[in-house]
């Protein structure tokens, strides 16, 4: 696609400052943008990057007051406007045709809703049900009795073990595993472990998105539950019997041990670990790389490994960064004190 | 399945306190259980959750002395009894029929033991041998010369690169990769890296269980070895030439760098990292998120990043949590000392 | 393969000290080696392991002066010589035959270069182009419009979403996902998140190697870029719009949040996390498990979570390890000070 700066502004109902006739052929980030690209800036932190940009045009807010070497399109909502522009330049989205690919292996009795698309080499075991308009890309596996709602999308190589339940409008990215066995063993006196049967299931709500190469274990018994609207990033580990409340956000590489409850709207930042059997309150925020070893109250903000309230952790860390200095002060004080003690003894 | 509380107690040879006629239709955790569910409690930490439970029955130990709003089944071993109950309610386990699915691609000369089940779209390259009764679910890949023992189970999308060896009664979960190349390069003076050939193999023992989306690299030469009875959780990284002793436990998202030796019965908790070429002694325990930078003696318990003995680390962390206070004390002491020094000089 | 120690030395143009007639049947690490194995030592740290080795021969440098119970082959470059030996003992490398396996699903119009090998159950969507001699092992998925250069190698179960671009001589290991959606949502006032379209692509350079079960997200718009010669280990997370400079090294389980720029030749050690929108300078080194929360200057060496200069972090950590002692000193000083104050008041 090709537009002029003026054409883009017109489509947005926005104004241009600078040369509206420039030709735009693509979109890019502020640092990567080159000749022919349009970019955007929504944060004053990027003022230097704007000044140095090689973009042919920049989308800015109506209040942007820093210099910019390229024509500016001024809009009310930069994020929204740029998403619009990006969509105009994007290739058409991939829309797999309805139907079952001839290489898919679909057991007798499987129920497929209207408009379902089952890609090449998918395998649907007996008892599977898939709701209307749901798309399975190539190589997905749905085990015995698995149900997937309508308007959901499973990217290539997703696998769902037996009896898993997935809601409507839910997206699961490539390589993700739903319903693997939980990690549970009983050790005998020699430290030899015997597997504890993992006979529960995984239940995933509506409007959930799950990233690539995630692992969500089936319950030891009962259900591992992912609430409605939950967003899970790539390479996350969710152990058996975990319950995640509605609209929680689980960022990449987080690990949640068995039987934890994560509150609604809670946010676990990247690489966080949560020990087993804990409760994270609604709306709590856990900063990246933190390790949660105790229950977290609702709306608390935690940091550290082990984690404690983030403001305290940061104050403490500020002292840690000056510890060698503090240690010197203590040694110096000790010397001065000894000198006084000596003096007083002599006196 | 439906049972009354009394029927379940009778099957367990146990007694009921409360209404034995209640109908039970499923199992659930203490917090998730609702009407019709039976749950259990094995830890006094859950006393509050028991008091608030909505379960229709609770399995408790003979020594449980807290209040409980639901009928109780008293047993000697709660964990064991509840596992029994959960199995009675579970759907029948999935038992793939023996035979080779017509969509599987099995090279000429591959040796399959009695009762082996090879699922749809599996690929077995030349020289593969699979022992009796082993099951490969859909989409597994066994490279050239791979051997798998008997009574093992590979869930969908497991892949094993050439010459890997897997023992008997070993379970590997979905998406796990065995035998990818180790991460080894020789850098020239310009920092350009040339690949060092990774021509060893991976050897996995008997009675091992490996979680979903794990990566175990082949040796640079010789063998990466996973001992008998080792249990590995999801999303674990095991680098080239690592040796893991019998019955070790590696929890989710652990990363073990190249050529490490992990002792028998050692436990690495979640998200632990181990730097290259280290030895972790037999029976050592490394707490979650720790980073091991030195050899660990047998039976030691380590914590922290970098890790040190866990008891010292926790004592030190207790001081870290009060560091701003300690700093204030030092400043205050400095002021008092200066006042004395001034006084003494004047005197 | 079987060689005598003398035959191996002769092939290397090297000398033997000890019994050159011993038979060598394989290679192994210094600790694992047994009768019939040849091993090597390149680091004085392993002197004890050499003394205890059960290997039948050891490759050492010309300057090695520690004792060794087995015949030694002396060479200039131990690493290089041992790689040669390991290759002589290795099974022949797997070289898939050119051609398209009959079970692969290749869309009409897909362009395949000379000598390309497309394995069983691969899926190539419309618009795909694959360069000469590139190999796709079983079960790979290339989405609409994906291009892969020449002499590249995709191991089983790699999937590349639509419009991804992969260069020449690039290796991608099993289960890795290229081009999954970035993790981007706009939250409304109720904390309900709406997906922000992720319509950019992933572009991967030449001579790149990417480990197993890695996830690299497509850009929100524009490109997520992996430079030439970059080496990425297993289970790494690379978020949308990240740019990785040429010859950077990303070790296992690292997570890089959205829109970060990683400089050329930078090294991120295992399990490092980098927060969003940051710039890591060229040649910077981030130690294992560190958490980067600010831009990192070129050639800096960082450690800690949050990370700061590694030398300062280690000095500070040394004090942390003695904090309980420091605290006692402060308490003791406080007591001594109070005694003096009392004395002075009384005097």
């Amino acid at each position: 696609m090709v537009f002029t700066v003026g054409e883009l502004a017109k489509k947005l109902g926005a104004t241009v400052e600078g040369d509206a006739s420039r030709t735009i052929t693509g979109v890019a980030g502020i640092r990567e943008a080159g000749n022919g690209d349009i970019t955007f800036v929504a944060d004053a932190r990027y003022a230097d990057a704007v000044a140095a940009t090689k973009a042919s045009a920049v989308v800015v807010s109506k209040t942007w007051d820093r210099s910019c070497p390229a024509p500016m399109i001024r809009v009310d909502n930069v994020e929204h406007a740029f998403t619009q522009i990006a969509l105009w330049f994007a290739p058409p989205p991939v829309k797999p045709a309805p139907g079952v690919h001839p290489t898919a292996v679909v057991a007798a009795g499987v129920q497929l809703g209207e408009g379902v698309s089952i890609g090449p080499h998918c395998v649907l075991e007996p008892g599977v049900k898939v709701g209307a308009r749901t798309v399975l890309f190539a190589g997905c596996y749905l085990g015995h009795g698995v149900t997937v709602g309508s308007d959901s999308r499973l990217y290539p190589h997703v696998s769902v073990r037996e009896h898993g339940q997935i809601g409507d409008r839910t997206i699961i990215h490539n390589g993700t595993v739903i319903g693997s066995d939980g990690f549970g063993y009983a050790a005998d006196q020699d430290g030899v472990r015997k597997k504890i049967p993992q006979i529960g299931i995984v239940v995933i709500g509506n409007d959930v998105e799950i990233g690539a190469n995630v692992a969500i274990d089936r319950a030891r018994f009962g259900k591992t539950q992912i609430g409605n609207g939950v967003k899970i990033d790539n390479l996350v580990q969710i152990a058996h019997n975990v319950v995640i409340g509605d609209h929680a956000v689980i960022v990449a590489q987080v690990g949640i041990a068995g039987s934890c409850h994560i509150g609604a709207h809670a946010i676990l930042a990247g690489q966080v670990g949560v020990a087993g059997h804990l409760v994270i309150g609604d709306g709590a925020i856990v900063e990246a790389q933190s390790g949660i070893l105790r229950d977290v109250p609702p709306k608390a903000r935690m940091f550290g490994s082990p984690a404690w309230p983030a403001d305290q952790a940061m104050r403490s860390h500020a002292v840690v960064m000056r510890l060698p200095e503090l240690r010197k002060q203590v040694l110096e004080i000790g010397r001065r004190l000894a000198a006084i003690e000596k003096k007083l003894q002599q006196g």
Side-chain angles (χ1 to χ4, degrees), chain A:
Chain A
M1 299 296 296
V2 176
F3 298 96
T4 65
V5 175
E7 285 167 350
L8 289 172
K10 191 176 171 191
K11 283 162 78 79
L12 292 167
T15 56
V16 177
E17 288 174 31
D19 180 1
S21 70
R22 283 199 186 174
T23 298
I24 303 297
T25 56
V27 295
I30 190 83
R31 291 193 190 101
E32 295 82 49
N35 188 31
D37 287 330
I38 188 166
T39 188
F40 77 107
V41 61
D43 187 333
R45 278 201 299 166
Y46 282 91
D48 288 351
V50 172
T53 192
K54 289 175 178 139
S56 291
V58 183
V59 179
V60 301
S61 72
K62 289 192 171 161
T63 59
W64 181 261
D65 58 359
R66 307 302 183 91
S67 71
C68 175
M72 291 182 282
I73 297 180
R74 286 205 184 268
V75 298
D76 285 320
N77 184 327
V78 171
E79 289 272 345
H80 182 75
F82 198 75
T83 294
Q84 285 297 320
I85 293 173
L87 284 167
W88 295 330
F89 282 102
V94 171
K95 291 192 179 163
V100 176
H101 194 276
T103 60
V105 174
V106 178
V110 162
Q111 297 178 33
L112 301 179
E114 191 190 355
V116 159
S117 174
I118 306 294
H121 304 129
C122 285
V123 175
L124 281 65
E125 301 277 17
V128 164
K129 296 180 191 175
V130 179
R133 294 169 304 278
T134 283
V135 173
L136 272 65
F137 281 80
C140 287
Y141 174 85
L142 302 183
H144 290 71
V146 166
T147 62
V148 183
S150 55
D151 298 300
S152 288
R153 181 171 267 233
L154 275 58
Y155 283 103
H157 305 162
V158 168
S159 60
V160 186
R161 287 257 318 265
E162 62 271 20
H163 307 298
Q165 300 173 12
I166 296 169
D168 300 330
R169 298 172 305 281
T170 280
I171 301 167
I172 306 181
H173 289 277
N174 311 38
T176 281
V177 174
I178 310 290
S180 36
D181 284 357
F183 194 66
Y185 307 92
D188 68 15
Q189 68 273 30
D190 297 324
V192 174
R193 284 172 174 77
K194 196 180 161 193
K195 185 173 175 67
I196 296 172
Q198 304 289 315
I199 51 187
I201 63 172
V202 177
V203 177
I204 295 174
N206 302 321
D207 302 300
V208 172
E209 184 160 2
I210 302 175
N213 284 340
V214 167
I216 302 181
D217 281 350
R218 66 195 312 103
R220 175 177 159 194
F221 52 82
K223 306 166 187 171
T224 302
Q225 296 179 58
I226 313 294
N228 295 318
V230 170
K231 309 301 181 189
I232 297 174
D233 203 349
N234 300 333
L235 292 163
V236 165
Q237 149 71 356
I238 297 178
H240 50 180
N241 290 88
V242 167
V243 176
I244 300 188
D246 294 348
H247 306 294
V249 174
I250 314 292
V251 181
Q253 294 176 318
V254 164
I256 305 176
S259 300
C260 286
H261 275 228
I262 310 297
H265 298 282
I267 298 175
L268 306 189
Q271 298 183 332
V272 160
V274 185
H277 298 272
L278 298 179
V279 177
I280 310 275
D282 290 354
I285 295 175
V286 182
E287 304 279 5
Q289 292 193 325
S290 297
I292 300 293
L293 297 182
R294 299 188 192 177
D295 289 352
V296 172
K299 304 213 170 180
R301 188 178 202 107
M302 306 296 286
F303 180 63
S305 174
W308 47 310
D311 53 346
Q312 294 175 44
M314 291 315 290
R315 273 200 298 273
S316 207
H317 183 70
V319 184
V320 166
M321 290 180 74
R322 293 160 60 188
L323 264 185
E325 190 188 319
L326 184 69
R327 185 164 167 276
K328 269 189 210 159
Q329 286 174 22
V330 172
L331 293 178
E332 171 60 19
I333 285 173
R335 273 192 292 272
R336 284 160 58 194
L337 190 58
I340 292 170
E341 287 169 337
K342 196 174 171 191
K343 194 171 180 178
L344 289 178
Q345 277 185 331
Q346 291 170 336

